[in-house]
Amino acid sequence: MESLPDAIVQHILSLISNARDVASCNCVSKRWKDSTPYLRSLFFSRGLFDRLSNGSGDTPDAVLCRMISYVVKLEELVVYCPFTSSSLASWLSSAGCSLSKLELRLDNISDHDEIPSKLDCLRAAGNLESLKLWGVLMVRAPKWDVFDRLKNLEIVGARLANAALSYALHACPNLTYLLLRGCEGLTTVLIDNPYLKQCKLDFFGAGDCSLEIESSKLELLEVQGCSYIRVPETSFLKDLSIANNSGRVRVVEFGMLAALDMLSMRGVQWHWSAISKMLHMANKVKNLYMKVEFTGDSDVFHPFPEIDFVDFFNSHPKLHTFDMHGAMFAALCQRDSLKNVDSRFDIPALEEVVITVRSPLNAEQKMSTLESLIKYAKNLRKMRIKILQMKSCHSSSDDFFDDICKFRRKNRRIVSIE
Amino acid sequence: MATSSSNTNKADHSKNPPLTLRSSDGKELKIFRIVAQQSSTIMNLLDLEEESNTDVIPVSEVDGSTLEKLIELMNNHTEKSFNYLGVKERKKFYNDFFANWKILDVLNFGLVANYLGVQVIFDEACQKMADMIKSKSVEWVRKVFEIKNDFTPEEEEDLKKENKWAYERGDLDDGDDAI
């Protein structure tokens, strides 16, 4: 290794980013120590300073500052171990300009505001392209300028406030990817970053958040925890997933969903108007995942109303995979669901179906619907039937199960049971 | 044989017979032009060779066994399926290729890739060496790379104090499996 050009030593060492390894390499020889400034990324793991004894006179903050200040043009910094805001301010004063990727575990949610707050300090990293924060407290607007280059923003585990989030998003005009996961405290969210392509939102709380997105280039949207959702410009939207674990989905308003390939609807209860609107608008969809358990406009849960089998499949002609849970399947198995089926009907694009069955009610209708799927979907390759805990105190559920097994035997190539 | 223009020859892939490279220890190895294109050095040597009209390209800096392994890796790179490998699969591929190699052999291989101008393989060899260094102790690194400790005792003492936090974990590897 002694006769190697410096450039090669530096190249190898620049691929080492764990702070502990870097510290080790610093002690190997003078040449190795002189290569530390050429590192491109540094990673400080969570328990890094767990065993730092007090006697050594070193504090975690001091070590962090020292290591970071060694590097001349640090591009990427990930810190999972605890640190103070003054420490953060110190590193960013030396490394702030060159940093393009920053990931910090703030663990602030239950804290009171530090002055200066850690979020405020981030202003010094004005050239960031990617920012990921864990455990954020952002209830007042952070003192940020504009992050011109920021494309990627991820916040995981946060307590936010409407105005603070709005301010933060406006500080990132060129954002293309936004992730807010496990965030509480929001009631009204407006997102209008013009270049946003992917948006993943997961809101904690009562599930009654109101969301409006005006980003017209949006291609992927995942939302959890909203009651009102409005996205007027959707010409590029390909993937859409709406879920609500704790509240009701009441109103959804979307533009034309001409490009939509994948739609997932989940939750305990959606208003029927929202469900039928989504199903109606997503008529070009190829993959449909339907796990809404009940409908109803009030606190009372209602089953889905009857859905006409022919009408449903004719209005979703490109449907390729369909995953439906109890309520949806039951809706297709009502008394008159199959009344329009005739010999000219077919479902050419459907190749894969997953059906989750929860109750043995209407067993005969359910079997008819299953039979119809096999009969009219000529290209069907796979049908998986998932049977969840049925109350088997009734003999009808045993009979139903028998029927399903017979059905499986008859169509062994296609059907499987779980 | 008179060549019209070396550019036309280079564009014609499978029709051309493979090139012959001769290593420092006299081993002759065949490599198809399309594979050889990954090496800027070979392409340059090829220009020279075509002017002097010999059939064999001497690669005098590289021994036969290393050259053979390098050509094998370059062949893998030109396979269509290789381009479709995901990040994880690529990582696994190179891990498998370098499995059980001694670190000085990886270094030698990387230097040869560097000499022959095959950037991708050079980068992977450096990555492999970086991976091998991770979590190893200072003594291990010095031993395995044959590096002399050129710090004075005082300097060494200072460094140890400054970086004590890195040692305190106590689980830095002293394994000599890669010697």
Side-chain angles (χ1 to χ4, degrees), chain A residues 1-2 4 8 11 15 20-21 23-24 27-30 32-33 51-53 63 66-67 70, chain B residues 111 123 126-127 134-135 138 141-142 145 147-148 150-151 155 159 162-163 165 167-169 172:
Chain A
M1 197 85 161
E2 298 294 23
L4 286 178
I8 295 195
H11 187 70
L15 296 169
R20 213 186 60 193
D21 292 329
S24 256
C27 301
V28 169
S29 76
K30 284 193 177 152
W32 279 48
K33 182 166 189 292
R51 294 209 225 146
L52 189 62
S53 55
V63 176
R66 193 167 61 229
M67 303 272 326
Y70 277 159
Chain B
L111 291 173
D123 288 342
C126 287
Q127 181 66 60
K134 284 172 190 172
S135 288
V138 177
V141 172
R142 284 187 190 140
F145 277 109
I147 299 175
K148 195 160 149 299
D150 52 357
F151 291 120
E155 283 169 340
L159 275 172
E162 198 178 87
N163 294 299
W165 58 272
Y167 297 102
E168 300 232 308
R169 300 290 312 276
L172 285 172

Side-chain angles (χ1 to χ4, degrees), chain B residues 16-89:
Chain B
N16 271 346
L19 303 169
T20 308
L21 304 178
R22 188 192 288 133
S23 69
S24 57
D25 45 350
K27 200 163 179 184
E28 292 196 356
L29 294 155
K30 298 234 182 287
I31 182 170
F32 283 102
R33 240 171 238 271
I34 192 172
V35 176
Q37 275 168 8
Q38 293 170 57
S39 160
S40 52
T41 310
I42 294 181
M43 290 289 106
N44 289 336
L45 289 171
L46 195 61
D47 277 339
L48 291 172
E49 177 255 343
E50 286 184 336
E51 282 174 27
S52 62
N53 273 343
T54 57
D55 282 332
V56 175
I57 304 172
V59 187
S60 53
E61 302 289 322
V62 188
D63 68 275
S65 138
T66 309
L67 191 58
E68 189 167 10
K69 283 199 209 103
L70 190 66
I71 293 177
E72 176 197 329
L73 199 47
M74 287 164 75
N75 280 334
N76 282 332
H77 281 181
T78 49
E79 270 163 44
K80 265 206 172 115
S81 55
F82 192 82
N83 288 324
Y84 295 124
L85 285 182
V87 173
K88 271 191 189 154
E89 290 150 342

Side-chain angles (χ1 to χ4, degrees), chain A residues 197-253:
Chain A
K197 285 204 181 147
Q198 299 203 353
C199 184
K200 299 182 183 176
L201 308 171
D202 167 41
F203 299 140
F204 255 22
D208 57 0
C209 203
S210 176
L211 172 70
E212 176 160 349
I213 302 184
E214 289 179 9
S215 311
S216 58
K217 297 203 162 59
L218 202 60
E219 293 173 16
L220 182 144
L221 174 61
E222 288 175 14
V223 192
Q224 195 294 122
C226 290
S227 272
Y228 297 86
I229 303 171
R230 187 167 178 269
V231 187
E233 309 262 353
T234 49
S235 20
F236 298 103
L237 194 61
K238 275 179 58 177
D239 277 82
L240 176 58
S241 170
I242 305 176
N244 199 331
N245 302 335
S246 41
R248 253 182 281 152
V249 176
R250 294 172 205 247
V251 176
V252 291
E253 281 173 27

